[in-house]
Amino acid sequence: MEQDFLSCRLLVTALLILSSRTARSEEDRDTLWDAWGSWSECSRTCGGGASYSLRRCLSSKTCEGQNIKYRTCSNVDCPPDAGDFRAQQCSAHADVRYQGQYHEWLPVYNDLDNPCTLKCKAKDSGLLMELAPKVLDGTRCYTESLDMCISGVCQIVGCDHELGSTAKEDNCGVCNGDGSSCRLVRGHYKAQHATGKTEDTVVVVPYMSRHVRLVLKGPDHLYVESKTLEAVKDELVLDNSGQYLLENTTLDFQKLSDKEVLRITGPLGADFTVKVLFASGADSVVQYIYYQPIIHRWRETDFFPCSVTCGGGYQLTSAECFDLRSGRVVVDQYCHYYPENVKPKPKLQECNMEPCLASDGYKQIMPYDLYHPLPRWESSPWTACSTSCGGGIQSRSVSCVEEDMQGTITTTEEWKCLYSPKTAILQPCNTFDCPTWLAQEWSPCTVTCGQGLRYRVVLCIDHRGLHAGGCNPTTKPHIKEECLVTVPCYKSIDTLPVEAKPVWHKQAIELEEEISVSEEPTFIPGPWQPCSRTCGAGTQRRTVKCQVLLSFSQTVADLPDDECEGVKPATSQPCYRTPCSGVSGKEDEKERQEEEEEEEEETPGREELHDWEYEGFTECSQSCGGGVQEAVVICLNKQTREAADQSLCVSSRRPPQLLQDCKTQPCPPRWETGEWSSCSATCGVGLMTRTVACTHRPSRDSNHTEAVRDKDCQNPKPSPVQACNRFDCPPMWDTRDWGQCSQSCGGGFQKRQVLCKQRFADGSILELPDTFCPSKSPINQQPCAKKECPPQWVTTSWSQCSVTCGNGVQRLQAVCRKQKEDGAHWTVDPGNCSTMARPTKIRPCSLRPCEISVKPVPSILAQKKVYIQWKKAKKLHLVVGGYGYLLPWTTMVLRCPTRHFRRGHIQWLKEGKPLVSFPHLTVTSQGYMKIQQVRASDAGIYTCVAGQAHEHFVLQIIGSKKKLSLPEAWLLAGKQKVGRLDVSSTGDRFQELPIPLNQYDNLVERLLELKGNLPDEKDVEKLHSSEKNRSTKVDERVNAELSSHIVLIADTQRLDEIMNNLSEGLGGTWRERLITQLLSELTMTEVETNESTLHPPETAESSTQQPLLNKPNVKTQVPKPRSPVIIQRPRKVGVVPSSDMVVYVGVPVLLQKPIASLELRCETLGNPDPSLTWTRNGKDLQYNNRVGLLPTGSLKIQSPTKVDEGLYTCTARNRLGSSSLSSWLQITGSKGRNCVQGNSMGATGRICSERSNSSQSAELCHGPACPLRWRVDPWSPCSASCGGGSQTRSVRCMKGPEGRSREVESQHCLSTGRRPSFTRTCNLHPCARWTTTHWGLCHGQCVGPSLATQHRHVFCLDANATKVNYRMCSGLQRPSSMKNCSTETCALYWRVGQWTQCTATCGRHGFQSRQVTCAHRRSGKATREHQCVWRPRPPSWQRCNILSCGRAGECRDSTRYCEKVRQLELCPLPQFKNRCCHSCSNT
C-alpha cells in the first residue's frame, strides 16, 4: 500500500514538472530557470509607472541571471490636478513627528548624487532630510527626463516608454523622428519708441510649438497673451524671475539687470502672442527662436477600388492634406506651402487575383513585390524649336512605362502612372525678339542753298540691345536721301552745279552685312583677293557664285547665275596701297590726276578703297536727365572691313557730325544740402546746422526740384549738423529763472539761483566758486507783489450735518476778510469777495442710523486726491473728487465710480452747465469723460452727477497763467440766495460748489520748482575720488527711481496739513524744508508702492478705491522691506540766509569765507526706518555745543573752522543692512578765530567758536535727554480689511527729559523737525474675487472612455461686481477653467477586422493585414481616428509565417503565386525558381 502511494506521488510530481516545463520558452529550457510569472499591477495609474515579473530557480545550484524583470506601464498623462508623484510621497510624512514637531514637506528635485532617494525640505524651517532610502517605483529621476527609479536605481527610459531604450524625441516632439514635422523659425525685433505706442507685438508663436527662447536686451519688459483654439483669451505679466503657468504650459522667465530671457519647452497649449511694454530709454532688441509644427501634413489614404473585378488588377493609394489642429481634410495647397512636406508616393498593389469564371483565357499579370519598380512616366527628347527668334514651341512625347524583372521597359496604360503628375509635352522656346533695323535721326542738309543730301546711321539691334547681324538686308532703311534748302543759289552760268562739287563727295556707304546661304538661290560673294600691285593703283578680284541651301541634307549646291534674282555683285574693283617711289614732281602728279580722271570717265562705277563710315556712338555726356552722344566716324578699308588711318580717306568727303539725345530718363532722387548756419555758441562747443533733403527733378527741362521721402535716396545721408567753436569758454555767471513770489500781494520777495560756471570744449559744464567769475554777481533776490491784497475768504466753523439720519456731510463756513497794513484782518461785506471762489470744504458726518429704505440711494465713490503730472505721458486715468495739474497735450480719462447707479446715465457738467461735446472731448457709454490732448481752454470745474449725488474735479493746466474763478452761475445763485443750481432738464439740483478752486496752486507751483532739485537721469557729476564709497551704486538706483515718476498723488488731507503749517509764518528755511520733505514723501511713496496711473487696464471699470491700483502688476500697497539707501543729491539745496549753508552728503564742501553754520543733510530710504550715525575720518564723531545732530539726523556745525576739516561719513542701518555716504570738508581763507554775525536756529547775536550758547545746546541736543521732542503712540487697527482703509495715532509735543516730561503746544517742537503723520492708509489691496460662468457643453476632445472636456470662463470682479483685469485677483487661487466630463459621444473603441490570408507560407516575406477603425460602441458607426487617440491603435498589418522554408535541398513553394509563375514561364529566372521550387520542378 505504501509503495503504491509512493508511486502515485512520483507520478504527480513528474506531471507537475512536465506541465511547468511546457510553459517555459525555448530560452528557459536551456537554463535552470522556471518560466516567467504574470506581470504585477502597475505602480502608478498614470504618468508612467513600473510593473515586474518573477521567476524561480529550479536548481539547487545558483542560476545565472536575474529572477525579476521590469517594464513600463500606465504611460498616459495624469490630469492637471493630480499633483506631482514625488511631492505626494513627501506629503505622506506630514502626519509623522520629526524632532518633536510636524512639518509640511516639499520635494527636493534633481539630486545628481542620489536621484532615487526621497529627500524633502520642511516648508517652515527649510530643514532638509532624507525621509526614505528609495522612492516608489515609477518616480521620475529628474524633472526634465523620462528616466524612472525602479527598486532605488535610476533606469534609462526612451521616448517610446521602453526600459533601456535610447529613443529620443526630435525637436518636433516626435519620438525617433527626423525633425521633418516642424520647422525652425528665428528672427529679431527692434522696438520703436518714437512711434508713441506704449506696447507692441514681437511675435505670435502658434499652438504646439516647442523649444521657444526669447532674449530682450534693453529697458522694456515682456508679457504674454494667449488664445486657445476655442478663442479663450488670457494674459500673463512677467514681473520676477521664476516659473509661470499659462494654458497648461510652463514658462521659465529670468529677469536680469540688462536683459530678460523667456524659455518655453512646450508644446504650447495655445497661440502665444509675445508683446513688449515700452519703458523710457533706448530702443530694445528682442531675438527669438522656436520650432513651429507643420500643422498641415500629408496623410496616406486607403487603397482605391480595384481596377477589375476578377482576373487580376491594380489598386493605388493616394495622399490627402490633413489639418492637425481642426482634424479636417483641406485642399492640397496648404501642404504645398511647407517645403519640408514631401508628398508620399502612391503605392500600387495587385487585387482581385481570382480567375474570371466566364473567361476561357488567362490574363497575364506580373506580381508586384519588393523588387519590382512602380510604373513611371517616360519622355522623349525635346524637338528643335519652331523658330530661331520671336517665340516658338518645341514638343516631346510622354508615355507610361513599366519595367519587368529582367529590366525590359514596355509601354502600359496611363492610369497606372496617375499617382504622379504627368510631365509637360509642350514648352515655349527662343522667346526673345528678332533683330531689327534701327534708324537714327537725319543729319542736316549738306548745302545751305538749293538741293543737297542728308545722311543717317542705320544699325541692326538684337534683343540684348547690341549692334549685331541677323537682320533682313531687303528691309534695311536707306541711309542717304536728297534734301532741298528753300534758299536760291546765285552762281555764274559757267560754274558747275552744286552736286558736282559737293561738300561730301562720298555716297553713303551702307553697313555691309555678311550674306549667308539660304534656302532661296542667292549670289554669294567670296573674299577679295590681294591687290594686283604693291604700289600705285591696281585691281583686286573675287568670286561671286549663285548658291542654294539644301534643307534635307544641310549642304550647299552651286546653281547657274540666271537662277539668282537681282544684280550680280561686282567681281573686281580698283585697289591702291601706297605711292610708288622715284616718281615725283608736279608733272607726274598732274599726269596721275589726268589718268585718274580718264579712268573715272572710263569706269564711272569704280569706287575708292577707303571711305568714311559711321561706327556707333560715343558715351553719353550725362548719366541721367538727358545728354548727347556723337556718331563716331572712321576711315574704313572696304576690303578688310577694318579701320584705317584717317589720312587714307578724302577729308572733303567726311560725313557731317551727327548728334542724338541719350539717357533721357529722369535722374533718381539725390541728396540736396543747404548752406551751413552760423555757430550756435561762441565758445565751449556749438552746432552748425544745414538742411538736407531728398529731392527729385521731375524732368530735364524743369528748373525746380521736388522733395521726396528720405528712403528714396541712397545712404549714407549727409549729416545735417556738425560741431563748431570747440574751445573752452571763460568762467561766466549763469542765472536761473526767478522763483515764485513769497506773497501774492502786499509785498514779497522772489529769488533765483546765480552760479559761476565754465563750459568746456567737450560739452561739460563745471560749477566754480564765485571768485572765478570776473564781474560782479547778478542779484539773486528782488521785491515783488507790491499791490494791495484784495479781500479773501477765511473759513470759520462747520455747518450742521446735511442729513438727520445716516451718513451726511458738513460744510466749512467762510467769511470775507481784508488785511490791514499792520497785518490784522477785519470782516467786510461778502460782495467784496464775489470775484473769488468761495472755499467749499466738506467732511463726512454720521447721526443715528436711518430706517432701511426700499431703494438704495445712488452715491459717487470719489477720491480726495491731488494729481500732479511729473513727466510727459500719453494718457492718464483720474477719478473725480480732487484736483488735477496736468501738462498740456496729455490725454485725460476722468472716471466717476458709482454705487447703485447705472454708469450710462451719468451726466457731466462744466462750470455748472451741461457739458458740450467737442471733437477732443467726449463722454463714453461707460460714463467716462475723455479729453484728447488737454489745452488751456479745458481748465475748469467738472461735475459728475449721478441722481442726487454729485462730485467735482478741478482741472488746472501746468504752465497756464489762467486762474480759475467761481462760475457765473454760482455767483448769481449766491446773490439770489437760492444756493441750488439746475443740473439738467430733469430738474435735478445740487448745492453750491463744495470744493476750493485755487487752494493748492501755490504749493503745486513750489513743488514743480523744486523738481529741479531731484536727481535727473541726465545729471551725472564726477565726484572726488575720496567721495566714492560702497553706497554709490545703490544711490544711483534710488536716483533712477526718483526720476521715473509720471504722476505724484497726494491726499488733500496731507496737503491741508502742510498748508496750515506754512500759514503759521515760519522762516524761509523752514518753509523750504517743509516743502522739500513733502516732495520726498510723495516720491518715496511712489517708489515704495511702485504705482502708476499711466497705463490702467482697459477692462477696469468703476474702480472704487484707489487710482494707484491701475498698474497691472500691483499686488499690494504694503511697502516691502528694504535695506537702507542714502539719497545722493549732486548739488546744494540753497543758502537761506546767506550765512547758513545746507549741503547734502555726498558732495564735497569747499568754504572760502566764514559762514554762521553748515548743515550736512543725510536723507535715507528704508523699511524699517534706518538709524543714522556720523563719523569723521573713520572715527566716531564727538558732539559738543558747536557740533551736534538735528532731529532729522542731519549734522550741524556752528561757525566751522580749520579744526572741523575732514571726511564726514553718514551711515544708515536697519536689520536688513547698512549704507554709507561721505563728504569732504575743506576750509580755506579762515585764519585765527572765526567770529561772524549770523542767524542760526532762531538765535541771533555773535556766535564765536569759543563761546557756548545755552539755547543752541538745547536745540542741538540728541538722545533721550533732549528737552523738546515728538512722541507718537502705536497705530490703531485698520478701518477696512480691503479696498483701502485708514489708521490713526496720537502725536504730541513733549518737553523735558524722559520720566519728567510734560506735553506742550505743538508749535514748540516744529524747530526739531517735521511733525510725524497721524494718519496713513492701509489694506490697499482691492476687494476683488474670482467668479466663473456655468460649465459649457461636454463637446470637447475625447480624452478617455466616455470622457471629454468642457470649459468655462473665469473672471475677476471687484466689489461692485464689475469685471476688472485679472491682475486684481492675482493673489487669490484661480478656479479651473477646464475639466473632464462624461458623454456617450466618446463611448468609442478600436474595431478590428479579420486578418487576411498570409502572403507566404514560409520565409521572410509573408504579411497579412486587417481593417482598424474608430467606432461608436452603441451605434457601431465609424468616426475619425483622432477621437480614439487616447487609446493605442491596434496594428493593421503584421508579419506571418516567419518560418524557415526547410533544410537545404528541400524543395517547396514559399508564395501562393507559384502556379501563375509556372504558367507565365518565369521558372528559368533564379528569383522565381527559388521561391517556387516545387512548382518549377514539375515543368
Side-chain angles (χ1 to χ4, degrees):
M1 185 68 180
E2 184 177 352
Q3 187 176 1
D4 295 336
F5 176 78
L6 182 60
S7 302
C8 292
R9 184 176 180 183
L10 290 173
L11 181 60
V12 171
T13 303
L15 291 174
L16 288 175
I17 294 176
L18 289 174
S19 64
S20 66
R21 298 289 285 179
T22 56
R24 296 161 61 196
S25 64
E26 293 182 0
E27 179 185 355
D28 295 332
R29 292 192 184 100
D30 298 333
T31 65
L32 302 176
W33 289 104
D34 196 0
W36 288 102
S38 59
W39 290 100
S40 68
E41 185 179 356
C42 194
S43 62
R44 299 185 63 184
T45 59
C46 64
S51 177
Y52 63 88
S53 176
L54 299 173
R55 63 178 177 176
R56 61 175 179 168
C57 181
L58 299 178
S59 172
S60 60
K61 302 179 181 179
T62 302
C63 296
E64 294 183 1
Q66 299 291 330
N67 66 337
I68 186 171
K69 64 179 179 180
Y70 295 91
R71 70 175 181 183
T72 61
C73 51
S74 299
N75 292 311
V76 293
D77 293 335
C78 293
D81 54 353
D84 179 63
F85 193 36
R86 190 181 289 264
Q88 294 174 5
Q89 300 175 53
C90 285
S91 61
H93 293 76
D95 55 352
V96 179
R97 289 181 182 270
Y98 185 80
Q99 294 181 353
Q101 58 180 352
Y102 297 103
H103 298 278
E104 182 180 352
W105 297 100
L106 301 177
V108 177
Y109 299 101
N110 303 323
D111 185 0
L112 298 179
D113 296 330
N114 298 302
C116 291
T117 59
L118 184 60
K119 289 185 178 179
C120 307
K121 181 173 66 175
K123 183 178 181 181
D124 49 0
S125 62
L127 181 65
L128 183 64
M129 289 302 300
E130 180 180 311
L131 300 183
K134 294 190 295 186
V135 292
L136 297 180
D137 289 349
T139 305
R140 300 287 182 210
C141 302
Y142 309 101
T143 54
E144 300 298 330
S145 172
L146 293 175
D147 299 346
M148 65 173 57
C149 295
I150 297 177
S151 188
V153 179
C154 185
Q155 301 283 353
I156 296 176
V157 178
C159 61
D160 53 1
H161 298 287
E162 295 294 334
L163 284 176
S165 171
T166 59
K168 300 291 183 182
E169 286 187 354
D170 61 3
N171 291 323
C172 311
V174 179
C175 187
N176 268 338
D178 57 358
S180 62
S181 60
C182 65
R183 62 193 316 186
L184 176 64
V185 179
R186 65 170 69 239
H188 74 280
Y189 160 88
K190 184 175 183 181
Q192 299 290 337
H193 290 180
T195 60
K197 297 189 292 184
T198 59
E199 62 179 35
D200 198 7
T201 298
V202 177
V203 64
V204 178
V205 186
Y207 169 70
M208 293 301 290
S209 296
R210 293 172 179 265
H211 306 297
V212 184
R213 185 174 187 270
L214 294 97
V215 179
L216 180 144
K217 295 182 180 179
D220 301 333
H221 305 289
L222 295 173
Y223 76 98
V224 183
E225 293 180 353
S226 66
K227 182 178 181 182
T228 65
L229 300 182
E230 294 79 16
V232 178
K233 297 183 178 179
D234 204 349
E235 59 181 7
L236 177 67
V237 174
L238 305 170
D239 296 324
N240 302 309
S241 298
Q243 284 194 345
Y244 295 82
L245 190 66
L246 181 63
E247 296 297 343
N248 293 330
T249 305
T250 301
L251 296 86
D252 289 313
F253 178 69
Q254 189 177 11
K255 190 171 186 178
L256 304 175
S257 59
D258 59 341
K259 65 180 179 180
E260 295 181 359
V261 181
L262 177 63
R263 295 182 179 90
I264 311 174
T265 303
L268 269 58
D271 291 336
F272 280 15
T273 302
V274 182
K275 294 190 174 183
V276 61
L277 283 172
F278 290 159
S280 59
D283 294 341
S284 298
V285 175
V286 182
Q287 294 180 335
Y288 56 85
I289 182 174
Y290 62 90
Y291 285 91
Q292 175 186 350
I294 300 177
I295 60 173
H296 297 104
R297 303 294 304 275
W298 292 109
R299 185 176 68 174
E300 195 173 40
T301 63
D302 293 332
F303 280 98
F304 292 143
C306 193
S307 59
V308 296
T309 57
C310 63
Y314 297 93
Q315 58 184 166
L316 287 165
T317 62
S318 182
E320 57 190 7
C321 189
F322 186 71
D323 190 333
L324 300 180
R325 296 182 65 164
S326 63
R328 295 183 293 107
V329 177
V330 295
V331 295
D332 290 358
Q333 282 78 357
Y334 285 103
C335 289
H336 290 312
Y337 173 76
Y338 299 99
E340 302 89 342
N341 260 349
V342 179
K343 189 173 183 180
K345 293 183 178 180
K347 297 179 180 177
L348 183 69
Q349 72 175 13
E350 303 166 322
C351 55
N352 295 342
M353 305 302 296
E354 298 79 11
C356 298
L357 299 179
S359 175
D360 56 352
Y362 183 77
K363 183 176 181 181
Q364 293 187 357
I365 55 98
M366 178 62 64
Y368 278 82
D369 58 14
L370 198 60
Y371 308 102
H372 195 178
L374 288 172
R376 65 180 184 273
W377 295 109
E378 194 78 30
S379 57
S380 64
W382 292 104
T383 62
C385 193
S386 58
T387 60
S388 60
C389 61
I393 58 172
Q394 54 185 167
S395 62
R396 65 178 177 183
S397 61
V398 178
S399 58
C400 181
V401 300
E402 59 182 353
E403 187 176 353
D404 59 13
M405 303 298 290
Q406 290 78 27
T408 304
I409 298 176
T410 56
T411 304
T412 184
E413 297 90 342
E414 284 197 354
W415 68 266
K416 296 181 182 180
C417 295
L418 291 180
Y419 63 86
S420 63
K422 187 175 182 179
T423 54
I425 61 174
L426 293 175
Q427 74 173 11
C429 55
N430 294 346
T431 55
F432 50 85
D433 295 334
C434 294
T436 56
W437 293 109
L438 180 63
Q440 307 297 316
E441 295 294 330
W442 288 106
S443 69
C445 199
T446 57
V447 297
T448 58
C449 63
Q451 187 174 4
L453 296 174
R454 62 177 184 175
Y455 300 88
R456 65 178 175 184
V457 177
V458 178
L459 305 175
C460 180
I461 305 299
D462 63 6
H463 66 281
R464 298 166 297 174
L466 301 178
H467 172 48
C471 296
N472 187 358
T474 60
T475 61
K476 181 177 180 179
H478 58 281
I479 65 170
K480 182 186 76 170
E481 69 178 8
E482 294 181 349
C483 56
L484 180 65
V485 180
T486 58
V487 176
C489 296
Y490 297 96
K491 300 289 181 179
S492 59
I493 299 177
D494 57 345
T495 60
L496 293 174
V498 176
E499 180 64 19
K501 294 182 179 180
V503 179
W504 297 344
H505 188 61
K506 141 187 187 312
Q507 301 293 323
I509 305 297
E510 298 179 356
L511 292 176
E512 183 172 327
E513 298 293 329
E514 182 181 355
I515 303 176
S516 58
V517 183
S518 64
E519 295 182 0
E520 294 294 331
T522 310
F523 283 112
I524 305 300
W528 289 104
Q529 295 178 355
C531 191
S532 60
R533 298 183 60 182
T534 59
C535 65
T539 305
Q540 59 181 168
R541 303 183 182 278
R542 66 178 178 183
T543 59
V544 178
K545 297 181 180 180
C546 179
Q547 294 180 332
V548 67
L549 177 66
L550 303 179
S551 59
F552 62 93
S553 61
Q554 293 296 310
T555 58
V556 178
D558 295 334
L559 298 177
D561 290 348
D562 56 356
E563 292 289 335
C564 289
E565 297 180 356
V567 180
K568 182 177 181 180
T571 58
S572 64
Q573 68 178 7
C575 56
Y576 179 84
R577 287 192 175 184
T578 57
C580 296
S581 59
V583 180
S584 60
K586 295 183 179 180
E587 295 181 357
D588 297 337
E589 187 173 351
K590 185 177 180 180
E591 291 178 0
R592 187 165 56 250
Q593 289 178 356
E594 292 176 355
E595 291 176 358
E596 289 176 359
E597 291 176 0
E598 292 176 359
E599 190 174 350
E600 286 179 5
E601 292 176 359
E602 293 175 0
T603 58
R606 175 183 169 189
E607 296 182 356
E608 292 84 356
L609 176 61
H610 295 87
D611 203 352
W612 301 103
E613 184 63 270
Y614 291 110
E615 179 70 18
F617 287 89
T618 61
E619 290 290 332
C620 192
S621 60
Q622 298 290 335
S623 60
C624 61
V628 178
Q629 55 184 168
E630 178 184 356
V632 178
V633 180
I634 63 172
C635 183
L636 190 70
N637 188 316
K638 294 183 180 181
Q639 297 178 8
T640 61
R641 306 300 297 175
E642 294 180 355
D645 188 81
Q646 293 192 3
S647 60
L648 300 179
C649 293
V650 181
S651 59
S652 60
R653 298 180 182 179
R654 184 183 180 95
Q657 180 187 28
L658 296 184
L659 300 177
Q660 72 172 8
D661 293 337
C662 57
K663 302 290 184 182
T664 57
Q665 72 275 8
C667 291
R670 60 185 62 184
W671 296 109
E672 184 174 317
T673 58
E675 296 293 331
W676 287 107
S677 66
S678 58
C679 194
S680 61
T682 57
C683 61
V685 58
L687 289 178
M688 292 194 304
T689 61
R690 64 177 177 181
T691 59
V692 178
C694 183
T695 61
H696 174 64
R697 190 183 300 273
S699 63
R700 61 173 180 169
D701 300 327
S702 61
N703 293 325
H704 71 282
T705 58
E706 298 177 354
V708 296
R709 297 175 300 179
D710 285 0
K711 67 179 183 180
D712 294 335
C713 288
Q714 292 184 352
N715 287 329
K717 180 180 179 180
S719 175
V721 295
Q722 74 175 11
C724 54
N725 292 343
R726 300 186 65 172
F727 53 87
D728 297 344
C729 293
M732 60 184 64
W733 294 106
D734 179 28
T735 58
R736 303 293 177 87
D737 294 335
W738 287 104
Q740 185 181 3
C741 191
S742 59
Q743 301 290 337
S744 59
C745 60
F749 289 93
Q750 60 182 164
K751 299 178 182 180
R752 67 177 178 181
Q753 201 170 12
V754 179
L755 301 174
C756 181
K757 294 185 177 180
Q758 183 179 15
R759 180 185 294 272
F760 294 99
D762 60 357
S764 62
I765 299 176
L766 178 64
E767 186 176 333
L768 301 173
D770 294 350
T771 56
F772 280 68
C773 285
S775 60
K776 184 180 178 181
S777 172
I779 60 172
N780 61 354
Q781 182 173 326
Q782 68 180 6
C784 57
K786 298 180 181 180
K787 63 180 180 180
E788 183 182 357
C789 291
Q792 59 183 359
W793 293 106
V794 178
T795 57
T796 56
S797 59
W798 291 96
S799 66
Q800 292 184 351
C801 196
S802 61
V803 296
T804 58
C805 67
N807 297 324
V809 293
Q810 289 178 288
R811 303 183 183 276
L812 188 61
Q813 298 176 347
V815 294
C816 184
R817 289 185 179 178
K818 190 172 183 180
Q819 185 179 5
K820 297 181 181 179
E821 294 180 358
D822 58 356
H825 294 79
W826 80 95
T827 304
V828 296
D829 185 80
N832 294 330
C833 295
S834 60
T835 59
M836 299 180 61
R838 189 167 186 168
T840 54
K841 225 176 190 181
I842 62 172
R843 71 180 182 185
C845 56
S846 179
L847 301 178
R848 60 181 178 84
C850 298
E851 297 179 1
I852 300 175
S853 59
V854 178
K855 184 177 180 181
V857 178
S859 61
I860 298 176
L861 306 174
Q863 295 185 0
K864 306 302 179 184
K865 302 287 184 182
V866 177
Y867 304 91
I868 307 171
Q869 186 173 355
W870 205 241
K871 291 177 66 176
K872 291 183 180 180
K874 188 177 181 181
K875 183 190 292 185
L876 297 179
H877 288 248
L878 310 179
V879 181
V880 296
Y883 301 77
Y885 294 85
L886 306 185
L887 294 171
W889 311 114
T890 301
T891 297
M892 180 191 75
V893 177
L894 186 59
R895 300 187 293 123
C896 184
T898 59
R899 288 186 187 274
H900 313 301
F901 194 81
R902 298 182 63 180
R903 292 187 297 272
H905 294 171
I906 292 175
Q907 296 183 355
W908 288 90
L909 313 175
K910 182 178 181 183
E911 315 294 355
K913 298 180 181 180
L915 190 64
V916 179
S917 294
F918 292 96
H920 76 293
L921 191 151
T922 56
V923 177
T924 67
S925 60
Q926 297 294 324
Y928 300 163
M929 185 188 73
K930 186 175 183 180
I931 304 179
Q932 296 279 0
Q933 298 183 343
V934 297
R935 56 213 70 176
S937 60
D938 295 323
I941 309 142
Y942 294 85
T943 306
C944 167
V945 183
Q948 296 296 326
H950 61 273
E951 287 291 342
H952 305 278
F953 185 87
V954 178
L955 175 62
Q956 294 272 31
I957 306 303
I958 298 175
S960 174
K961 303 300 182 181
K962 175 184 176 183
K963 289 289 185 179
L964 298 183
S965 60
L966 196 67
E968 185 178 356
W970 272 293
L971 296 176
L972 294 176
K975 291 182 179 180
Q976 298 172 5
K977 297 182 180 179
V978 175
R980 304 177 72 86
L981 190 66
D982 282 337
V983 175
S984 65
S985 60
T986 60
D988 297 334
R989 298 176 181 275
F990 66 95
Q991 295 182 0
E992 60 186 22
L993 186 67
I995 187 168
L997 294 182
N998 304 304
Q999 180 176 358
Y1000 305 110
D1001 289 6
N1002 294 335
L1003 181 59
V1004 171
E1005 288 179 8
R1006 185 60 184 144
L1007 288 173
L1008 292 174
E1009 288 177 3
L1010 287 180
K1011 177 182 178 182
N1013 290 332
L1014 283 177
D1016 194 78
E1017 295 108 337
K1018 299 179 181 178
D1019 291 336
V1020 179
E1021 296 188 3
K1022 299 181 179 180
L1023 300 179
H1024 193 269
S1025 60
S1026 62
E1027 300 158 21
K1028 298 183 180 179
N1029 49 57
R1030 57 192 177 93
S1031 65
T1032 302
K1033 292 186 178 180
V1034 179
D1035 296 333
E1036 290 176 355
R1037 175 170 56 85
V1038 175
N1039 293 342
E1041 292 176 347
L1042 290 175
S1043 63
S1044 62
H1045 309 307
I1046 303 300
V1047 177
L1048 297 186
I1049 305 174
D1051 290 313
T1052 56
Q1053 184 178 4
R1054 173 61 178 149
L1055 294 187
D1056 292 339
E1057 178 184 348
I1058 297 294
M1059 297 289 290
N1060 292 335
N1061 292 336
L1062 292 177
S1063 65
E1064 293 179 6
L1066 297 175
T1069 305
W1070 175 246
R1071 290 169 59 89
E1072 184 180 65
R1073 183 184 303 170
L1074 203 60
I1075 296 177
T1076 304
Q1077 183 64 31
L1078 171 64
L1079 184 57
S1080 299
E1081 288 177 10
L1082 297 179
T1083 54
M1084 183 175 66
T1085 303
E1086 289 287 312
V1087 171
E1088 291 294 332
T1089 57
N1090 194 20
E1091 298 160 354
S1092 173
T1093 61
L1094 181 60
H1095 303 299
E1098 295 180 358
T1099 58
E1101 299 172 3
S1102 299
S1103 178
T1104 60
Q1105 300 298 332
Q1106 289 284 349
L1108 303 182
L1109 295 175
N1110 285 341
K1111 190 160 183 181
N1113 60 356
V1114 173
K1115 296 182 179 179
T1116 175
Q1117 293 280 340
V1118 180
K1120 298 179 181 179
R1122 62 183 297 172
S1123 59
V1125 291
I1126 301 175
I1127 304 175
Q1128 181 177 0
R1129 306 195 185 274
R1131 45 188 177 272
K1132 295 184 290 185
V1133 173
V1135 184
V1136 181
S1138 59
S1139 58
D1140 295 333
M1141 179 178 289
V1142 180
V1143 179
Y1144 283 96
V1145 68
V1147 177
V1149 182
L1150 177 63
L1151 299 181
Q1152 295 178 330
K1153 54 186 177 180
I1155 61 173
S1157 66
L1158 170 66
E1159 179 183 347
L1160 285 177
R1161 287 191 183 176
C1162 186
E1163 292 188 356
T1164 62
L1165 293 176
N1167 187 27
D1169 294 334
S1171 62
L1172 300 181
T1173 58
W1174 287 86
T1175 61
R1176 184 164 74 95
N1177 296 330
K1179 299 180 180 180
D1180 293 337
L1181 187 61
Q1182 300 298 322
Y1183 302 101
N1184 51 42
N1185 62 341
R1186 201 171 51 82
V1187 179
L1189 285 180
L1190 297 178
T1192 59
S1194 299
L1195 180 66
K1196 188 154 190 176
I1197 306 175
Q1198 300 285 353
S1199 303
T1201 62
K1202 272 287 188 179
V1203 297
D1204 298 317
E1205 285 187 341
L1207 182 67
Y1208 287 82
T1209 302
C1210 175
T1211 303
R1213 288 188 177 87
N1214 65 6
R1215 60 181 176 84
L1216 299 177
S1218 64
S1219 177
S1220 299
L1221 199 59
S1222 303
S1223 284
W1224 182 264
L1225 174 60
Q1226 184 177 1
I1227 301 176
T1228 61
S1230 62
K1231 298 181 180 180
R1233 295 179 4 165
N1234 209 6
C1235 194
V1236 298
Q1237 184 74 22
N1239 180 6
S1240 175
M1241 303 297 292
T1244 305
R1246 293 188 65 83
I1247 305 173
C1248 298
S1249 58
E1250 300 91 345
R1251 295 177 53 187
S1252 64
N1253 190 313
S1254 60
S1255 63
Q1256 294 173 5
S1257 62
E1259 293 193 7
L1260 290 175
C1261 68
H1262 58 88
C1266 187
L1268 285 174
R1269 64 193 176 278
W1270 292 108
R1271 175 178 290 174
V1272 295
D1273 293 337
W1275 290 106
S1276 65
C1278 193
S1279 61
S1281 60
C1282 65
S1286 62
Q1287 291 176 285
T1288 60
R1289 65 179 177 182
S1290 175
V1291 180
R1292 294 171 291 174
C1293 179
M1294 307 301 294
K1295 185 174 183 180
E1298 286 291 337
R1300 293 180 292 130
S1301 60
R1302 57 186 174 86
E1303 184 176 356
V1304 295
E1305 294 292 332
S1306 297
Q1307 60 198 18
H1308 291 90
C1309 289
L1310 292 177
S1311 60
T1312 65
R1314 182 180 61 87
R1315 179 181 180 178
S1317 175
F1318 62 92
T1319 62
R1320 71 177 182 184
T1321 57
C1322 55
N1323 291 342
L1324 297 178
H1325 55 273
C1327 295
R1329 69 184 190 279
W1330 289 110
T1331 186
T1332 60
T1333 61
H1334 295 293
W1335 286 105
L1337 298 177
C1338 187
H1339 55 57
Q1341 185 176 0
C1342 295
V1343 295
S1346 300
L1347 283 179
T1349 57
Q1350 60 183 154
H1351 299 79
R1352 66 178 177 181
H1353 294 287
V1354 181
F1355 305 104
C1356 181
L1357 300 183
D1358 62 7
N1360 294 331
T1362 303
K1363 181 181 175 183
V1364 296
N1365 193 279
Y1366 81 98
R1367 301 184 186 93
M1368 297 294 185
C1369 298
S1370 59
L1372 306 174
Q1373 183 177 3
R1374 179 171 181 165
S1376 174
S1377 61
M1378 183 184 72
K1379 70 173 183 179
N1380 292 343
C1381 55
S1382 179
T1383 173
E1384 286 299 315
T1385 307
C1386 293
L1388 307 171
Y1389 73 106
W1390 289 109
R1391 182 171 61 195
V1392 297
Q1394 296 294 325
W1395 291 107
T1396 60
Q1397 183 182 355
C1398 190
T1399 58
T1401 59
C1402 63
R1404 297 177 293 105
H1405 306 286
F1407 68 91
Q1408 56 187 167
S1409 61
R1410 64 178 176 182
Q1411 190 175 17
V1412 178
T1413 56
C1414 180
H1416 199 276
R1417 289 192 179 277
R1418 289 192 176 181
S1419 63
K1421 293 183 178 179
T1423 183
R1424 293 193 175 274
E1425 289 190 356
H1426 74 274
Q1427 296 286 357
C1428 291
V1429 295
W1430 49 270
R1431 177 173 295 174
R1433 186 180 190 274
S1436 59
W1437 73 279
Q1438 66 180 8
R1439 295 287 182 181
C1440 54
N1441 294 343
I1442 309 177
L1443 303 174
S1444 174
C1445 290
R1447 304 181 186 88
E1450 183 177 355
C1451 186
R1452 56 181 297 182
D1453 294 342
S1454 61
T1455 177
R1456 57 191 177 96
Y1457 300 116
C1458 290
E1459 181 61 27
K1460 296 171 184 175
V1461 169
R1462 186 179 62 81
Q1463 295 175 357
L1464 292 173
E1465 298 181 356
L1466 298 176
C1467 286
L1469 299 177
Q1471 57 267 42
F1472 287 104
K1473 184 175 182 180
N1474 293 335
R1475 297 176 63 180
C1476 299
C1477 179
H1478 182 267
S1479 298
C1480 289
S1481 63
N1482 298 329
T1483 58

